[in-house]
Amino acid sequence: MSQTMLNKSGSAGFLNPKNRLTLTWVLFLLPALLVYLTFMAGPLFDSLRLSLYTGEGYNPTEFVGFQNYINLFTNPLWREKFINAFTNTCIFFAIHMLVQNTLGLLFANLLSTDFKGRNFFRTIIFAPATLSVLVVGFLWTLILNPQWGAVNKIFMAMDLKQFALPWLGRENLALPVISLTSVWQWVGMPTVMFLAGLMGISDELLEAARIDGASEWDIFWRIKFPLLKPVIGVVAILTFVDNFNAFDIIYAMAGAKGEPGYSTDLLATLFYRTGIAGEHPVGIPDMGMGAAIATMTFAILMTGVLSWLYFSRKQATE
Amino acid sequence: MRWNRLQLFFTYVVLTIWSVIVLFPIWTLLINSFKPQKQIFKDPFGLPDTFTLDGYREAWNTGRFDLYFINTIIVTVIALGLILFIGSMAAYALAKWKSPVASFLYVFFIAGLMIPIRLGTLDLVRLIKALNLQDTYWSLIPVYVAMGMPIATFVLTAFIKELPGEMFEAAKIDGASEWQVYSRIVLPLMRPAMATVAIFNMIKIWNDFWFPLVFIRAEESRTVALGVSLLFGQYRTDWTRALAVLSLAAVPMLILYVLLAREFIKGLTAGAVKG
Amino acid sequence: MQKKLFGLLSLLVLLSLALTACGGGAATEAPAEEPAATEEAPAATEEAPAATEAAAEEITLTLGSWRVDDVAAWEAINAAFHEKYPNITVKFDPTNPPDYNATLRTQLETGTGPDLYFVRSFATGRELFDAGYVASLKDLPGINDSFTEASRAPWATETGEPYAVPIIAVSHGVYYNKEIFAANGIEVPATWEELMAASQTLLDAGVIPFANGTKDAWDINEVVMMQFIPSNIGGFEGRMAYLNGDRCFNSEEMVASFQQIDDMQPYLPNGFEAVSYYDAAQLFAQGQAAMMMDGSWSIGAFEKDATDFEWGVFYPPALEGKDTYVTFHIDAAIGANAASPNLEAAMTFLEFLESSDFAGLLGNNLPGFFPLTKDVPTLSDPIAADFMAFNESAAGVDIRFVWEKLLAAPSGSVDAYTSLNNNVIAVLKDEKTPQEAADAFNADLAAWYEPAAGCK
């Protein structure tokens, strides 16, 4: 083996096999690492550094240590904004986790059997994911419009006037409604991933269970669900990461302020308003504080992902 | 037998209800883009009484949508190609290199999933300017490739780790180099996982309007998402045009998707067939 | 076949490597130069000469703006300018309002900003001037003669050094459907009490009296609340009393303004919380609502959309026994990018903005946007002329209440705009009484604005 390796990588011929292998791996990693460092990690790291500075504009120069963080947690206004955004983000994530992924699992389970029209339904379920968030946000705003939106017209026609509500205007309704819009768009993602997982389960196993008289319900919980666990893990972590960074749908449906009354303000919109755009109508960004908010978001996500990696590895080795 | 029919009935009911929920808004979008403004408000969900193409004509004349599409396709295709190629190389090394460096780099790449990239905007604008790429769509490609690295390494590394190790050993005994193992064995096997990565990134790249917004001013370099967001702002009070603009952005993607849906879903789910 | 593909791909990788290698070097150098005042020319100006192959004097300037709706009008204005100065072409390049501040800022800080751009009034524009991104106009000929001091003030330092040419003011009023008014026997009301009585008549007749909603928040604040305040407090003098600490922000005049908001609530559309600004405009334009409080900038949109019925405007009448003061808000100015390589040409354009030619072009191409030059052109649009007439019949004219001094809240405190907006919406949602809302407004300001803390 070492003999052939020597021939294949002539330039590294002077190295011993172990170092040569290391060099090979480094070469494999190099392009990705260079692009990633230059165009993502570098700029991001440099920006996180800004959380220790204060000043107006995007390049604050006055070093203040941890003052931005102290303000974020001790100034009642900042603390209230941050906790509000954090809570909303958790709700937003929880709705996706529960509704989107449960629906995904249900659809995948239904689609994994063979029946007429299966391809049609599969195509439909994923279709909204190909639309832009801007399009989706705008469309649903039209449909949920209190005056001429379809949802309220349907409730009115069914003589259920009490359900014809200003869906996007009530503080307790707007966030769930926008979350469900986002679920509408993205439910195809977990569906497809679960479907891939389900198709990996051997038919003989399922047949054997059926012959033993197991109900579909039992088969799902006893066989499919345990075998799907690794996929569920991946879906969960992707849902977590995507939704803790969600911005576009709120921006499209409720504006950067998270109207009404900050009830749909997420960590990403709070960051955008604070660090990038500034609050209407003044619009002077406070990049230092924005970076502090982003760093906190990063810390939350990192904790979540690292603990997931830890547990999934532990599970894998057991 | 009866149970099976009940199950089939349930399947159809659930999927049909969901299909209606999915198709209805898309129907609303398309149908209203052919109606004059007044009719949109009086009867937002019926077929048009008077059929008009004004919205499309106006949008097409004001925005260079033909150009926007070509630009977006160029950017998306090149960025996706690079993401898949260099991402899969990196993932192969991360999966097979038994070293603390590899473990560290793995976490380092994944960390990129967790910070809003907007935070780095200012540094990126400076970088693009230093490369003299501002106001061209080339400026978007390196940023999108970098943005694609976390998800590519995350999905592909996990996938390669799952592949049975004997396969690699056998190839190496036959005298193949790591490069040959990667290009001849791993790459073809990775297709389904690559499809997942491609889809995730394609949706992100196609719809991104933030980076075009800050990198590009010139009309001839605009992307669809940027064109839509600008024209949409301009047409907020004119729903026929606004909906026409949105349809112009959505329909080609939908058609492309419907045409490729079978391949696409096959690609996404094929990986699992091996058991 | 496969080998070829890989050859191609490796070439791409090599290219991207070369690219990133350059990038890496540049990344470390770039920040050091920042914010150099003489950065490279924006690409738009580089391309134009190459494209036309003309003499070096051929100059293209970009004009950044948040007015995406006004593309056609600005193209006409720029064409007129080009006719006068054939070697200079101005390209109007707007960004959506919510993105404007952020993208402009990014471009200015990285030296890629437009040559000319719309500058927001007071604190926002001032901050750009202090940071060195807007050129000083103290040497621009004629600026002091063409505009009143009041018009220049929002874009000038304490010593009167101007940094942008004021171009537009906007007014506000109640758009009303004449046919609905006639059908219900309603005359244009002269007092607030009459307006409320008329609204009740309309409501009883099954018509939505006011189209306004609160989904977008800003409109209820800027085109409704800030129209009530001047008449209650007595215009400019009244406002100064608050700014100097001679009156508290929860004075009875302020409570009365919140009370007017509360009075209006039953006459807003069902589900007004989810009615956006554009929804409201449509409700009015479709003839479903009898009135809408809105800005003069909407004239054009209504002339296009509300074609099925006769409509007009009146100013929101004052409470009985009070004089009417009109909010005539000085809204936008154009400044020159201090780092523009074509600063001289940009100055030529700014000088053009002082001319009566420009004032006429602006006033007539953009009905509802009023030029600020001292010699006012005649406005051909009848509704725009009606808006101008408000100013003459009023006891006084002033800018919007919170703009001067009250926006610049330090980090961690609430500015007057946000506080007023939140409290207005709280009143509409029955979460606060007018008195509670005024008290909360006062408390928010007292936390950082010294005159408010020590008010009598």
Side-chain angles (χ1 to χ4, degrees), chain C residues 236-258:
Chain C
F236 177 80
E237 278 83 28
R239 186 163 62 85
M240 287 304 128
Y242 290 90
L243 291 186
N244 298 333
D246 295 338
R247 267 194 216 157
C248 290
F249 286 89
N250 58 349
S251 68
E252 55 176 320
E253 293 85 356
M254 205 55 74
V255 178
S257 308
F258 279 111

Side-chain angles (χ1 to χ4, degrees), chain C residues 29 52 67 92 120 131 157 262 270 275-276 283 361 408 432 440:
Chain C
E29 286 159 26
T52 50
R67 293 294 316 164
F92 186 67
R120 300 208 189 256
T157 62
D262 205 19
N270 270 333
V275 171
S276 74
L283 279 177
L361 279 167
K432 283 182 188 161

Side-chain angles (χ1 to χ4, degrees), chain B residues 97-116:
Chain B
W97 188 13
K98 304 273 178 293
S99 151
V101 181
S103 312
F104 168 77
L105 286 180
Y106 180 56
V107 174
F108 178 58
F109 273 116
I110 293 180
L113 280 174
M114 290 164 251
I115 320 183

